[in-house]
Amino acid sequence: MQPGQTDTLITYAISAVVIAVVFAIRWKRMSRVRPLKVERLWIFPTLYAAVAVYLFVRFPPVGFGWLFCTVALVLGAGLGWQRGKLMRITVDPVTRSLSQTSSPAAILFLLVLVVLRFGAREVATTSALHLNAMAMTDMLVALALGLFTMQRLEMYLRARRMLAMIGVPTFR
């Protein structure tokens, strides 16, 4: 083995251990029922959108970077919608309050995204695309923006439909 390959393997091993620990903790917490505050679902995507806009204004992508970021945003939106559908939302019949529980599929979905991200990094550095670190960062920011926004939008729309079905006045 070459010295550079050893360093790369160590980096991957450390990353894998950290990811495994984080996902083990998430898996354990997954079964907890948490209250769903529908009126607050917009906060995180809005804050993240502000950060994304700042990054794109301060360090704009160049050339085909805009195209790649647009594709990443659309891909993130599709993945976010799917992840939102994987979240379990229930209505308490007595209090009529909403609660949410992560499903095992949602956690595995995140794990697949992390693995794909590592693969994309390798492809980007070794392929004919010759994407630099800033271009990869821009695409990941756009992907995350689509993912966070559409996940919460799907959850909001579904929660609103569930409340309307039991006769609770819907919120705007």
Side-chain angles (χ1 to χ4, degrees):
M1 240 187 232
Q2 310 257 344
Q5 288 177 328
T6 304
D7 293 343
T8 303
L9 289 176
I10 290 171
T11 301
Y12 282 133
I14 291 171
S15 298
V17 168
V18 168
I19 290 169
V21 167
V22 167
F23 277 98
I25 292 169
R26 292 284 299 175
W27 192 273
K28 184 178 178 184
R29 291 183 182 174
M30 170 182 67
S31 61
R32 275 194 218 155
V33 176
R34 297 182 317 230
L36 177 62
K37 304 291 186 198
V38 179
E39 62 276 3
R40 294 183 187 168
L41 285 174
W42 65 273
I43 295 173
F44 182 73
T46 302
L47 292 175
Y48 191 82
V51 169
V53 166
Y54 171 77
L55 290 173
F56 284 127
V57 168
R58 183 85 168 97
F59 308 104
V62 293
F64 282 113
W66 284 108
L67 175 66
F68 292 140
C69 287
T70 303
V71 170
L73 180 70
V74 171
L75 180 64
L79 293 172
W81 190 267
Q82 184 59 38
R83 184 159 192 270
K85 286 172 51 175
L86 294 173
M87 303 302 278
R88 294 182 195 142
I89 299 175
T90 56
V91 179
D92 186 312
V94 176
T95 64
R96 295 184 173 191
S97 61
L98 293 166
S99 58
Q100 107 184 37
T101 309
S102 295
S103 71
I107 300 298
L108 292 175
F109 185 77
L110 280 179
L111 182 61
V112 167
L113 287 178
V114 169
V115 169
L116 287 175
R117 188 238 180 242
F118 274 108
R121 185 174 65 179
E122 281 300 309
V123 168
T125 57
T126 60
S127 76
L129 294 176
H130 299 293
L131 298 173
N132 61 21
M134 286 303 290
M136 282 299 295
T137 302
D138 291 341
M139 287 184 281
L140 289 173
V141 165
L143 180 95
L145 178 61
L147 189 120
F148 297 144
T149 302
M150 293 308 286
Q151 174 188 350
R152 281 158 177 87
L153 178 62
E154 195 284 332
M155 292 172 67
Y156 169 80
L157 293 173
R158 190 160 32 113
R160 196 170 97 177
R161 280 192 310 266
M162 292 172 78
L163 289 174
M165 284 181 6
I166 62 168
V168 175
T170 57
F171 33 82
R172 295 194 190 268

